[in-house]
Amino acid sequence: MCTRAQWTAEGQPVLVGRNMDWTERQGAKLWVLPKGIERSGLTDQNPLTWTSKYGSVGTIIWGGVSSDGINEAGLVSNVLYLAETTFKARDNDKQGLTIALWAQYFLDTCATVAEVVKACQNLDVRPVKLVHKGVAVDAPVHMSVSDPSGDSAIIEILDGETRIHHGPQYTTMTNSPPFEEQLVLLKQYEGLGGRLPIPGTMEAEDRFARAAFYLTKLPEQPETYQAAVAAVMSIMRNAATPLGANDPVRPNISATIWRTISDATNKRYYFEFADMPNVVWMDLDNFDLSENGQPMMFDLANNFEASGEISGLFQPTELFETTKADGVVTWQPGD
C-alpha cells in the first residue's frame, strides 16, 4: 500500500509525491486545521496532550485517521502501510499517542524533520484496530517526513521499537520489507549500484526501485514550476498500481486510489483520485490558519467537477472524531 518519493533538485521546490493504494475507498476528505486546537493522544493512561502550534492541510481517511498532509512551516508527513510493524506492550512511563494522530501530531507541533526525530524519543505510539475483509489487525504503518530544506526521515515501529533513517538521501519509500532491507535490495538494479534491469511488477520492492530509479531521470532544471510538479507526478503515476489490481490476501498490493504532491517550499498541496481526471490543489496562504480560524473540510468525491485551486470551496465544520488507541476503525464504504 503506497509509494512516496521526494525530489530535492538544486534550485527547485522540495516536492513530495505519494500514492495511496488500498482495496476499497477510504472516505478520503481534505481538511484544513488551524493552530490552537487542543488534542489528546487518546490512550487510557498518560496520554500525550498538546495544542497545535502550526496550521495544516491534509487528507483524513476512515472518518478520523490522519494519513497525509503539510503544515504552514512546510513540514510534510505521509503514512504508508508496513506489514512488519509490531507493537510492544504499553509503556505507561511514556506519553501515549494513538497512531490515528501520529502524522497529525508532528504536523501540529514540528517545523523540521529534526524536530520530528527528537519528538519521537519520548512517545509510545499505540495502534488502532483496522478491520480489513473481516479481519482486525493492529494498524501496521510507517511514516515519512520531509521539510523545505530537503531533509527527510523514515520512521518505523519494529519489534516495538522506533527505528529512524534520517537524512536527505532517503527519498523513496514503499511497503514491505522494512526500509533497511529495501535499501539493500535497491543496490542490485542498474543505475542504483547493480546490473539488473528495473523491475515492473506491483510488488513493493519493485515500486521502490522504480521510484528511486526514475527520480534520477528527472530534468535538473525544469523549464517551469508546472513542469517540476508534472515531473514528480509522472514518477508517482509510474509507481502506481492499476485500478482493480488487488491481491486478495495482501492489502499492501492494491490499486492506487488517490495521490498527493506536497510542495514544502511554496506550501501547496495537490490531490487527485485515481478514478477522476481532475487534479485539485490548495495554497496554505489562502486559509486562516490562526487560532481564530475554523476547521474546514472539502469532499472531492462528492464534488467531482472541482479542479484547480479550490481553497474557496472548503466549508467550516466540526472537527472529526479521532479513533482512540486500541479502538476499532468503524468507517465502512458508503458511510
Side-chain angles (χ1 to χ4, degrees), residues 70 225 261-263 266-270 281-284:
I70 179 173
Y225 172 78
I261 292 181
S262 297
D263 181 343
N266 297 298
K267 319 303 187 297
R268 178 177 286 178
Y269 189 67
Y270 295 84
W281 62 86
M282 299 123 267
D283 290 314
L284 271 68

Side-chain angles (χ1 to χ4, degrees), residues 38-57:
E38 296 183 359
R39 297 192 187 272
S40 166
L42 298 177
T43 54
D44 290 336
Q45 297 186 51
N46 193 19
L48 178 69
T49 58
W50 72 96
T51 301
S52 58
K53 182 179 178 181
Y54 301 101
S56 63
V57 171

Side-chain angles (χ1 to χ4, degrees), residues 108-160:
D108 283 353
T109 62
C110 298
T112 66
V113 171
E115 290 180 13
V116 171
V117 171
K118 183 178 180 181
C120 286
Q121 297 174 4
N122 297 314
L123 287 180
D124 185 14
V125 178
R126 306 308 305 161
V128 298
K129 295 292 185 181
L130 175 60
V131 180
H132 181 258
K133 296 188 180 299
V135 178
V137 298
D138 289 340
V141 298
H142 55 170
M143 183 193 303
S144 66
V145 287
S146 313
D147 69 27
S149 75
D151 201 5
S152 172
I154 310 300
I155 307 168
E156 299 180 330
I157 302 173
L158 302 172
D159 298 323

Side-chain angles (χ1 to χ4, degrees), residues 48-127:
L48 178 69
T49 58
W50 72 96
T51 301
S52 58
K53 182 179 178 181
Y54 301 101
S56 63
V57 171
T59 304
I60 303 300
I61 61 176
W62 296 322
V65 176
S66 177
S67 63
D68 194 89
I70 179 173
N71 73 12
E72 59 187 316
L75 184 78
V76 178
S77 66
N78 318 101
V79 174
L80 283 69
Y81 191 95
L82 178 64
E84 290 84 356
T85 300
T86 51
F87 300 88
K88 63 183 179 182
R90 172 79 170 100
D91 181 356
N92 288 317
D93 291 333
K94 290 186 176 181
Q95 292 181 304
L97 174 66
T98 173
I99 207 164
L101 282 176
W102 197 23
Q104 192 61 50
Y105 169 64
F106 296 130
L107 292 176
D108 283 353
T109 62
C110 298
T112 66
V113 171
E115 290 180 13
V116 171
V117 171
K118 183 178 180 181
C120 286
Q121 297 174 4
N122 297 314
L123 287 180
D124 185 14
V125 178
R126 306 308 305 161

Side-chain angles (χ1 to χ4, degrees), residues 170 180-196 198 205 208-209 212:
Y170 299 123
E180 186 68 38
E181 297 177 43
Q182 291 275 33
L183 295 177
V184 174
L185 292 171
L186 192 65
K187 296 177 182 178
Q188 65 186 315
Y189 295 111
E190 182 180 356
L192 300 170
R195 301 181 63 181
L196 292 178
I198 297 301
E205 59 265 35
F208 191 103

